[in-house]
PDB file of all heavy atoms in Angstrom:
ATOM      1  N   GLU I  27       0.840  -1.171  -0.068  1.00  0.00           N
ATOM      2  CA  GLU I  27      -0.033  -0.049  -0.037  1.00  0.00           C
ATOM      3  C   GLU I  27       0.888   1.208   0.022  1.00  0.00           C
ATOM      4  O   GLU I  27       0.551   2.254  -0.675  1.00  0.00           O
ATOM      5  CB  GLU I  27      -0.961  -0.109   1.142  1.00  0.00           C
ATOM      6  CG  GLU I  27      -2.036  -1.103   1.123  1.00  0.00           C
ATOM      7  CD  GLU I  27      -2.690  -1.403   2.312  1.00  0.00           C
ATOM      8  OE1 GLU I  27      -2.196  -1.076   3.484  1.00  0.00           O
ATOM      9  OE2 GLU I  27      -3.873  -1.898   2.288  1.00  0.00           O
ATOM     10  N   THR I  28       1.975   1.239   0.780  1.00  0.00           N
ATOM     11  CA  THR I  28       2.792   2.386   0.735  1.00  0.00           C
ATOM     12  C   THR I  28       3.627   2.551  -0.477  1.00  0.00           C
ATOM     13  O   THR I  28       3.831   3.696  -0.994  1.00  0.00           O
ATOM     14  CB  THR I  28       3.820   2.374   1.964  1.00  0.00           C
ATOM     15  OG1 THR I  28       3.136   1.856   3.128  1.00  0.00           O
ATOM     16  CG2 THR I  28       4.378   3.815   2.293  1.00  0.00           C
ATOM     17  N   LEU I  29       3.910   1.426  -1.226  1.00  0.00           N
ATOM     18  CA  LEU I  29       4.461   1.561  -2.617  1.00  0.00           C
ATOM     19  C   LEU I  29       3.427   2.141  -3.518  1.00  0.00           C
ATOM     20  O   LEU I  29       3.838   2.901  -4.388  1.00  0.00           O
ATOM     21  CB  LEU I  29       4.878   0.071  -3.070  1.00  0.00           C
ATOM     22  CG  LEU I  29       6.173  -0.414  -2.394  1.00  0.00           C
ATOM     23  CD1 LEU I  29       6.201  -1.985  -2.788  1.00  0.00           C
ATOM     24  CD2 LEU I  29       7.365   0.334  -2.874  1.00  0.00           C
ATOM     25  N   ALA I  30       2.148   1.770  -3.267  1.00  0.00           N
ATOM     26  CA  ALA I  30       1.167   2.454  -4.215  1.00  0.00           C
ATOM     27  C   ALA I  30       1.044   3.944  -3.950  1.00  0.00           C
ATOM     28  O   ALA I  30       0.834   4.686  -4.873  1.00  0.00           O
ATOM     29  CB  ALA I  30      -0.250   1.787  -3.855  1.00  0.00           C
ATOM     30  N   ALA I  31       1.219   4.409  -2.744  1.00  0.00           N
ATOM     31  CA  ALA I  31       1.313   5.871  -2.560  1.00  0.00           C
ATOM     32  C   ALA I  31       2.599   6.438  -3.125  1.00  0.00           C
ATOM     33  O   ALA I  31       2.465   7.590  -3.743  1.00  0.00           O
ATOM     34  CB  ALA I  31       1.273   5.999  -0.948  1.00  0.00           C
ATOM     35  N   LEU I  32       3.610   5.755  -3.042  1.00  0.00           N
ATOM     36  CA  LEU I  32       4.822   6.258  -3.792  1.00  0.00           C
ATOM     37  C   LEU I  32       4.613   6.360  -5.201  1.00  0.00           C
ATOM     38  O   LEU I  32       4.955   7.340  -5.727  1.00  0.00           O
ATOM     39  CB  LEU I  32       5.928   5.236  -3.457  1.00  0.00           C
ATOM     40  CG  LEU I  32       7.389   5.591  -4.077  1.00  0.00           C
ATOM     41  CD1 LEU I  32       8.494   5.010  -3.258  1.00  0.00           C
ATOM     42  CD2 LEU I  32       7.468   4.956  -5.453  1.00  0.00           C
ATOM     43  N   ALA I  33       3.887   5.302  -5.744  1.00  0.00           N
ATOM     44  CA  ALA I  33       3.562   5.330  -7.269  1.00  0.00           C
ATOM     45  C   ALA I  33       2.741   6.532  -7.481  1.00  0.00           C
ATOM     46  O   ALA I  33       2.977   7.258  -8.575  1.00  0.00           O
ATOM     47  CB  ALA I  33       2.939   4.008  -7.642  1.00  0.00           C
ATOM     48  N   PHE I  34       1.745   6.870  -6.765  1.00  0.00           N
ATOM     49  CA  PHE I  34       0.762   7.999  -6.976  1.00  0.00           C
ATOM     50  C   PHE I  34       1.650   9.305  -7.098  1.00  0.00           C
ATOM     51  O   PHE I  34       1.453  10.058  -8.080  1.00  0.00           O
ATOM     52  CB  PHE I  34      -0.245   7.987  -5.786  1.00  0.00           C
ATOM     53  CG  PHE I  34      -1.205   9.049  -6.089  1.00  0.00           C
ATOM     54  CD1 PHE I  34      -2.344   8.853  -6.743  1.00  0.00           C
ATOM     55  CD2 PHE I  34      -1.022  10.448  -5.651  1.00  0.00           C
ATOM     56  CE1 PHE I  34      -3.436   9.730  -6.972  1.00  0.00           C
ATOM     57  CE2 PHE I  34      -2.026  11.368  -5.731  1.00  0.00           C
ATOM     58  CZ  PHE I  34      -3.177  11.103  -6.554  1.00  0.00           C
ATOM     59  N   VAL I  35       2.544   9.409  -6.187  1.00  0.00           N
ATOM     60  CA  VAL I  35       3.394  10.663  -6.021  1.00  0.00           C
ATOM     61  C   VAL I  35       4.312  10.738  -7.285  1.00  0.00           C
ATOM     62  O   VAL I  35       4.436  11.799  -7.956  1.00  0.00           O
ATOM     63  CB  VAL I  35       3.967  10.903  -4.738  1.00  0.00           C
ATOM     64  CG1 VAL I  35       5.043  12.148  -4.831  1.00  0.00           C
ATOM     65  CG2 VAL I  35       3.030  11.083  -3.671  1.00  0.00           C
ATOM     66  N   GLN I  36       5.032   9.693  -7.501  1.00  0.00           N
ATOM     67  CA  GLN I  36       6.145   9.730  -8.374  1.00  0.00           C
ATOM     68  C   GLN I  36       5.590   9.797  -9.985  1.00  0.00           C
ATOM     69  O   GLN I  36       6.283  10.133 -10.791  1.00  0.00           O
ATOM     70  CB  GLN I  36       7.053   8.570  -8.245  1.00  0.00           C
ATOM     71  CG  GLN I  36       7.776   8.678  -6.889  1.00  0.00           C
ATOM     72  CD  GLN I  36       8.388   9.972  -6.534  1.00  0.00           C
ATOM     73  OE1 GLN I  36       9.002  10.520  -7.373  1.00  0.00           O
ATOM     74  NE2 GLN I  36       8.268  10.491  -5.331  1.00  0.00           N
ATOM     75  N   ILE I  37       4.454   9.105 -10.200  1.00  0.00           N
ATOM     76  CA  ILE I  37       3.790   9.218 -11.452  1.00  0.00           C
ATOM     77  C   ILE I  37       3.380  10.758 -11.710  1.00  0.00           C
ATOM     78  O   ILE I  37       3.518  11.277 -12.836  1.00  0.00           O
ATOM     79  CB  ILE I  37       2.639   8.299 -11.651  1.00  0.00           C
ATOM     80  CG1 ILE I  37       3.262   6.900 -11.751  1.00  0.00           C
ATOM     81  CG2 ILE I  37       1.738   8.648 -12.851  1.00  0.00           C
ATOM     82  CD1 ILE I  37       2.125   5.725 -11.889  1.00  0.00           C
ATOM     83  N   ILE I  38       2.813  11.396 -10.757  1.00  0.00           N
ATOM     84  CA  ILE I  38       2.362  12.731 -10.898  1.00  0.00           C
ATOM     85  C   ILE I  38       3.542  13.601 -11.066  1.00  0.00           C
ATOM     86  O   ILE I  38       3.490  14.518 -11.972  1.00  0.00           O
ATOM     87  CB  ILE I  38       1.490  13.195  -9.624  1.00  0.00           C
ATOM     88  CG1 ILE I  38       0.244  12.397  -9.536  1.00  0.00           C
ATOM     89  CG2 ILE I  38       1.289  14.724  -9.751  1.00  0.00           C
ATOM     90  CD1 ILE I  38      -0.470  12.621  -8.225  1.00  0.00           C
ATOM     91  N   LYS I  39       4.649  13.490 -10.327  1.00  0.00           N
ATOM     92  CA  LYS I  39       5.762  14.276 -10.396  1.00  0.00           C
ATOM     93  C   LYS I  39       6.976  13.582 -10.075  1.00  0.00           C
ATOM     94  O   LYS I  39       7.471  13.425  -8.970  1.00  0.00           O
ATOM     95  CB  LYS I  39       5.633  15.540  -9.477  1.00  0.00           C
ATOM     96  CG  LYS I  39       6.746  16.563  -9.722  1.00  0.00           C
ATOM     97  CD  LYS I  39       6.638  17.820  -8.754  1.00  0.00           C
ATOM     98  CE  LYS I  39       7.742  18.731  -8.791  1.00  0.00           C
ATOM     99  NZ  LYS I  39       7.641  19.881  -7.836  1.00  0.00           N
ATOM    100  N   PRO I  40       7.687  12.965 -10.975  1.00  0.00           N
ATOM    101  CA  PRO I  40       8.845  12.200 -10.826  1.00  0.00           C
ATOM    102  C   PRO I  40       9.906  12.988  -9.948  1.00  0.00           C
ATOM    103  O   PRO I  40      10.261  14.093 -10.301  1.00  0.00           O
ATOM    104  CB  PRO I  40       9.428  11.779 -12.224  1.00  0.00           C
ATOM    105  CG  PRO I  40       8.225  11.937 -12.942  1.00  0.00           C
ATOM    106  CD  PRO I  40       7.292  13.071 -12.427  1.00  0.00           C
ATOM    107  N   GLY I  41      10.452  12.295  -8.939  1.00  0.00           N
ATOM    108  CA  GLY I  41      11.505  12.922  -8.114  1.00  0.00           C
ATOM    109  C   GLY I  41      11.055  13.888  -7.028  1.00  0.00           C
ATOM    110  O   GLY I  41      11.779  14.567  -6.284  1.00  0.00           O
ATOM    111  N   HIS I  42       9.604  13.897  -6.878  1.00  0.00           N
ATOM    112  CA  HIS I  42       9.208  14.755  -5.764  1.00  0.00           C
ATOM    113  C   HIS I  42       9.447  14.236  -4.354  1.00  0.00           C
ATOM    114  O   HIS I  42       9.483  13.061  -4.292  1.00  0.00           O
ATOM    115  CB  HIS I  42       7.673  15.041  -5.926  1.00  0.00           C
ATOM    116  CG  HIS I  42       7.045  16.030  -5.085  1.00  0.00           C
ATOM    117  ND1 HIS I  42       7.185  17.371  -5.281  1.00  0.00           N
ATOM    118  CD2 HIS I  42       6.346  15.841  -3.788  1.00  0.00           C
ATOM    119  CE1 HIS I  42       6.552  18.118  -4.280  1.00  0.00           C
ATOM    120  NE2 HIS I  42       6.105  17.242  -3.490  1.00  0.00           N
ATOM    121  N   PRO I  43       9.824  15.096  -3.416  1.00  0.00           N
ATOM    122  CA  PRO I  43      10.094  14.686  -2.051  1.00  0.00           C
ATOM    123  C   PRO I  43       9.026  13.782  -1.424  1.00  0.00           C
ATOM    124  O   PRO I  43       7.849  14.297  -1.302  1.00  0.00           O
ATOM    125  CB  PRO I  43      10.310  15.931  -1.239  1.00  0.00           C
ATOM    126  CG  PRO I  43      10.757  16.903  -2.393  1.00  0.00           C
ATOM    127  CD  PRO I  43       9.956  16.629  -3.565  1.00  0.00           C
ATOM    128  N   PHE I  44       9.366  12.524  -1.027  1.00  0.00           N
ATOM    129  CA  PHE I  44       8.332  11.653  -0.628  1.00  0.00           C
ATOM    130  C   PHE I  44       8.914  10.848   0.653  1.00  0.00           C
ATOM    131  O   PHE I  44       9.976  10.412   0.611  1.00  0.00           O
ATOM    132  CB  PHE I  44       7.989  10.614  -1.684  1.00  0.00           C
ATOM    133  CG  PHE I  44       7.012   9.492  -1.307  1.00  0.00           C
ATOM    134  CD1 PHE I  44       5.625   9.819  -1.316  1.00  0.00           C
ATOM    135  CD2 PHE I  44       7.478   8.386  -0.878  1.00  0.00           C
ATOM    136  CE1 PHE I  44       4.754   8.844  -0.970  1.00  0.00           C
ATOM    137  CE2 PHE I  44       6.626   7.376  -0.483  1.00  0.00           C
ATOM    138  CZ  PHE I  44       5.149   7.592  -0.588  1.00  0.00           C
ATOM    139  N   ILE I  45       8.084  10.777   1.670  1.00  0.00           N
ATOM    140  CA  ILE I  45       8.500   9.985   2.791  1.00  0.00           C
ATOM    141  C   ILE I  45       7.721   8.747   2.901  1.00  0.00           C
ATOM    142  O   ILE I  45       6.434   8.730   2.886  1.00  0.00           O
ATOM    143  CB  ILE I  45       8.333  10.845   4.156  1.00  0.00           C
ATOM    144  CG1 ILE I  45       9.122  12.083   4.134  1.00  0.00           C
ATOM    145  CG2 ILE I  45       8.653  10.041   5.410  1.00  0.00           C
ATOM    146  CD1 ILE I  45       8.818  13.075   5.023  1.00  0.00           C
ATOM    147  N   PHE I  46       8.332   7.534   2.846  1.00  0.00           N
ATOM    148  CA  PHE I  46       7.742   6.268   2.939  1.00  0.00           C
ATOM    149  C   PHE I  46       7.223   5.949   4.392  1.00  0.00           C
ATOM    150  O   PHE I  46       8.056   5.246   4.965  1.00  0.00           O
ATOM    151  CB  PHE I  46       8.727   5.359   2.281  1.00  0.00           C
ATOM    152  CG  PHE I  46       8.200   4.008   1.827  1.00  0.00           C
ATOM    153  CD1 PHE I  46       7.687   3.731   0.465  1.00  0.00           C
ATOM    154  CD2 PHE I  46       8.061   2.931   2.680  1.00  0.00           C
ATOM    155  CE1 PHE I  46       7.156   2.488   0.080  1.00  0.00           C
ATOM    156  CE2 PHE I  46       7.499   1.636   2.238  1.00  0.00           C
ATOM    157  CZ  PHE I  46       7.102   1.507   1.041  1.00  0.00           C
ATOM    158  N   SER I  47       6.007   6.308   4.634  1.00  0.00           N
ATOM    159  CA  SER I  47       5.543   6.149   5.964  1.00  0.00           C
ATOM    160  C   SER I  47       4.624   4.925   6.142  1.00  0.00           C
ATOM    161  O   SER I  47       3.338   5.076   6.060  1.00  0.00           O
ATOM    162  CB  SER I  47       4.899   7.392   6.554  1.00  0.00           C
ATOM    163  OG  SER I  47       5.910   8.399   6.711  1.00  0.00           O
ATOM    164  N   ASN I  48       5.117   3.769   6.143  1.00  0.00           N
ATOM    165  CA  ASN I  48       4.546   2.631   6.354  1.00  0.00           C
ATOM    166  C   ASN I  48       4.373   2.338   7.954  1.00  0.00           C
ATOM    167  O   ASN I  48       5.334   2.003   8.549  1.00  0.00           O
ATOM    168  CB  ASN I  48       5.155   1.313   5.732  1.00  0.00           C
ATOM    169  CG  ASN I  48       4.425  -0.016   5.992  1.00  0.00           C
ATOM    170  OD1 ASN I  48       3.410  -0.014   6.504  1.00  0.00           O
ATOM    171  ND2 ASN I  48       5.228  -1.021   5.595  1.00  0.00           N
ATOM    172  N   TRP I  49       3.201   2.515   8.491  1.00  0.00           N
ATOM    173  CA  TRP I  49       2.944   2.521   9.998  1.00  0.00           C
ATOM    174  C   TRP I  49       2.129   1.234  10.231  1.00  0.00           C
ATOM    175  O   TRP I  49       0.815   1.414  10.425  1.00  0.00           O
ATOM    176  CB  TRP I  49       2.292   3.721  10.399  1.00  0.00           C
ATOM    177  CG  TRP I  49       3.013   5.021  10.333  1.00  0.00           C
ATOM    178  CD1 TRP I  49       4.197   5.221   9.599  1.00  0.00           C
ATOM    179  CD2 TRP I  49       2.650   6.323  10.777  1.00  0.00           C
ATOM    180  NE1 TRP I  49       4.540   6.528   9.731  1.00  0.00           N
ATOM    181  CE2 TRP I  49       3.594   7.240  10.424  1.00  0.00           C
ATOM    182  CE3 TRP I  49       1.500   6.736  11.598  1.00  0.00           C
ATOM    183  CZ2 TRP I  49       3.555   8.570  10.726  1.00  0.00           C
ATOM    184  CZ3 TRP I  49       1.477   8.048  11.914  1.00  0.00           C
ATOM    185  CH2 TRP I  49       2.503   9.009  11.557  1.00  0.00           C
ATOM    186  N   PRO I  50       2.615   0.067  10.338  1.00  0.00           N
ATOM    187  CA  PRO I  50       1.784  -1.130  10.626  1.00  0.00           C
ATOM    188  C   PRO I  50       1.195  -1.045  12.142  1.00  0.00           C
ATOM    189  O   PRO I  50       2.108  -1.010  13.049  1.00  0.00           O
ATOM    190  CB  PRO I  50       2.649  -2.221  10.338  1.00  0.00           C
ATOM    191  CG  PRO I  50       4.112  -1.757  10.458  1.00  0.00           C
ATOM    192  CD  PRO I  50       3.961  -0.272  10.050  1.00  0.00           C
ATOM    193  N   PHE I  51      -0.020  -0.766  12.251  1.00  0.00           N
ATOM    194  CA  PHE I  51      -0.637  -0.841  13.602  1.00  0.00           C
ATOM    195  C   PHE I  51      -1.112  -2.171  13.975  1.00  0.00           C
ATOM    196  O   PHE I  51      -1.273  -3.045  13.147  1.00  0.00           O
ATOM    197  CB  PHE I  51      -1.820   0.143  13.602  1.00  0.00           C
ATOM    198  CG  PHE I  51      -1.387   1.576  13.627  1.00  0.00           C
ATOM    199  CD1 PHE I  51      -2.354   2.648  13.494  1.00  0.00           C
ATOM    200  CD2 PHE I  51      -0.218   2.103  13.662  1.00  0.00           C
ATOM    201  CE1 PHE I  51      -1.987   3.942  13.609  1.00  0.00           C
ATOM    202  CE2 PHE I  51       0.157   3.354  13.710  1.00  0.00           C
ATOM    203  CZ  PHE I  51      -0.745   4.296  13.685  1.00  0.00           C
ATOM    204  N   ILE I  52      -1.428  -2.371  15.285  1.00  0.00           N
ATOM    205  CA  ILE I  52      -1.746  -3.660  15.814  1.00  0.00           C
ATOM    206  C   ILE I  52      -3.139  -3.433  16.459  1.00  0.00           C
ATOM    207  O   ILE I  52      -3.467  -2.523  17.205  1.00  0.00           O
ATOM    208  CB  ILE I  52      -0.825  -4.177  16.965  1.00  0.00           C
ATOM    209  CG1 ILE I  52       0.672  -4.211  16.302  1.00  0.00           C
ATOM    210  CG2 ILE I  52      -1.287  -5.467  17.421  1.00  0.00           C
ATOM    211  CD1 ILE I  52       0.843  -5.114  15.192  1.00  0.00           C
ATOM    212  N   ALA I  53      -4.099  -4.418  16.215  1.00  0.00           N
ATOM    213  CA  ALA I  53      -5.365  -4.480  16.837  1.00  0.00           C
ATOM    214  C   ALA I  53      -5.239  -5.488  17.872  1.00  0.00           C
ATOM    215  O   ALA I  53      -4.735  -6.668  17.759  1.00  0.00           O
ATOM    216  CB  ALA I  53      -6.434  -4.907  15.828  1.00  0.00           C
ATOM    217  N   ASP I  54      -5.761  -5.235  19.049  1.00  0.00           N
ATOM    218  CA  ASP I  54      -5.850  -6.100  20.172  1.00  0.00           C
ATOM    219  C   ASP I  54      -6.920  -7.143  19.745  1.00  0.00           C
ATOM    220  O   ASP I  54      -8.089  -6.893  19.676  1.00  0.00           O
ATOM    221  CB  ASP I  54      -6.227  -5.414  21.437  1.00  0.00           C
ATOM    222  CG  ASP I  54      -6.263  -6.388  22.722  1.00  0.00           C
ATOM    223  OD1 ASP I  54      -6.721  -7.521  22.538  1.00  0.00           O
ATOM    224  OD2 ASP I  54      -5.630  -5.998  23.688  1.00  0.00           O
ATOM    225  N   MET I  55      -6.418  -8.449  19.564  1.00  0.00           N
ATOM    226  CA  MET I  55      -7.304  -9.383  19.088  1.00  0.00           C
ATOM    227  C   MET I  55      -8.512  -9.748  19.884  1.00  0.00           C
ATOM    228  O   MET I  55      -9.535 -10.303  19.495  1.00  0.00           O
ATOM    229  CB  MET I  55      -6.616 -10.761  18.759  1.00  0.00           C
ATOM    230  CG  MET I  55      -5.397 -10.513  17.715  1.00  0.00           C
ATOM    231  SD  MET I  55      -6.046 -10.162  16.045  1.00  0.00           S
ATOM    232  CE  MET I  55      -4.484 -10.209  15.096  1.00  0.00           C
ATOM    233  N   ARG I  56      -8.504  -9.422  21.165  1.00  0.00           N
ATOM    234  CA  ARG I  56      -9.568  -9.637  22.153  1.00  0.00           C
ATOM    235  C   ARG I  56     -10.691  -8.665  21.909  1.00  0.00           C
ATOM    236  O   ARG I  56     -11.895  -8.994  22.288  1.00  0.00           O
ATOM    237  CB  ARG I  56      -9.122  -9.643  23.545  1.00  0.00           C
ATOM    238  CG  ARG I  56      -8.013 -10.642  23.868  1.00  0.00           C
ATOM    239  CD  ARG I  56      -7.333 -10.287  25.236  1.00  0.00           C
ATOM    240  NE  ARG I  56      -6.656  -8.931  25.214  1.00  0.00           N
ATOM    241  CZ  ARG I  56      -5.996  -8.431  26.151  1.00  0.00           C
ATOM    242  NH1 ARG I  56      -5.856  -9.228  27.372  1.00  0.00           N
ATOM    243  NH2 ARG I  56      -5.534  -7.186  26.042  1.00  0.00           N
ATOM    244  N   SER I  57     -10.314  -7.448  21.428  1.00  0.00           N
ATOM    245  CA  SER I  57     -11.510  -6.480  21.412  1.00  0.00           C
ATOM    246  C   SER I  57     -11.591  -5.861  19.917  1.00  0.00           C
ATOM    247  O   SER I  57     -12.593  -5.282  19.700  1.00  0.00           O
ATOM    248  CB  SER I  57     -11.246  -5.423  22.307  1.00  0.00           C
ATOM    249  OG  SER I  57      -9.923  -4.691  22.027  1.00  0.00           O
ATOM    250  N   GLY I  58     -10.487  -5.934  19.159  1.00  0.00           N
ATOM    251  CA  GLY I  58     -10.414  -5.330  17.894  1.00  0.00           C
ATOM    252  C   GLY I  58      -9.994  -3.865  17.902  1.00  0.00           C
ATOM    253  O   GLY I  58      -9.841  -3.245  16.860  1.00  0.00           O
ATOM    254  N   ALA I  59      -9.808  -3.372  19.204  1.00  0.00           N
ATOM    255  CA  ALA I  59      -9.378  -1.986  19.326  1.00  0.00           C
ATOM    256  C   ALA I  59      -7.805  -1.848  19.003  1.00  0.00           C
ATOM    257  O   ALA I  59      -7.023  -2.816  19.235  1.00  0.00           O
ATOM    258  CB  ALA I  59      -9.601  -1.417  20.693  1.00  0.00           C
ATOM    259  N   MET I  60      -7.405  -0.758  18.508  1.00  0.00           N
ATOM    260  CA  MET I  60      -6.070  -0.392  18.305  1.00  0.00           C
ATOM    261  C   MET I  60      -5.228  -0.369  19.604  1.00  0.00           C
ATOM    262  O   MET I  60      -5.590   0.268  20.502  1.00  0.00           O
ATOM    263  CB  MET I  60      -5.819   0.802  17.458  1.00  0.00           C
ATOM    264  CG  MET I  60      -4.446   1.102  17.017  1.00  0.00           C
ATOM    265  SD  MET I  60      -3.775   2.378  18.185  1.00  0.00           S
ATOM    266  CE  MET I  60      -2.297   2.942  17.236  1.00  0.00           C
ATOM    267  N   THR I  61      -4.022  -0.999  19.620  1.00  0.00           N
ATOM    268  CA  THR I  61      -3.139  -0.864  20.709  1.00  0.00           C
ATOM    269  C   THR I  61      -1.823  -0.299  20.187  1.00  0.00           C
ATOM    270  O   THR I  61      -1.210  -0.796  19.256  1.00  0.00           O
ATOM    271  CB  THR I  61      -2.882  -2.321  21.323  1.00  0.00           C
ATOM    272  OG1 THR I  61      -1.728  -2.206  22.267  1.00  0.00           O
ATOM    273  CG2 THR I  61      -2.544  -3.369  20.338  1.00  0.00           C
ATOM    274  N   GLY I  62      -1.466   0.794  20.708  1.00  0.00           N
ATOM    275  CA  GLY I  62      -0.394   1.536  20.330  1.00  0.00           C
ATOM    276  C   GLY I  62       0.999   1.122  20.993  1.00  0.00           C
ATOM    277  O   GLY I  62       2.085   1.279  20.453  1.00  0.00           O
TER     278      GLY I  62
END
């Protein structure tokens, strides 16, 4: 998904400053709520 975001920016403007922010979050399997 983050590669797809990179593709979006670099197709629009090749070489544009881009930060690859892949933030995999975790869900507490007991409740489904996000645990940070």
Side-chain angles (χ1 to χ4, degrees):
E27 290 167 338
T28 317
L29 285 170
L32 179 152
F34 185 89
V35 172
Q36 299 308 318
I37 285 175
I38 293 167
K39 185 181 177 184
H42 190 76
F44 177 86
I45 300 165
F46 194 91
S47 285
N48 177 8
W49 298 6
F51 283 175
I52 305 297
D54 188 312
M55 299 296 185
R56 300 167 300 180
S57 65
M60 181 262 196
T61 167

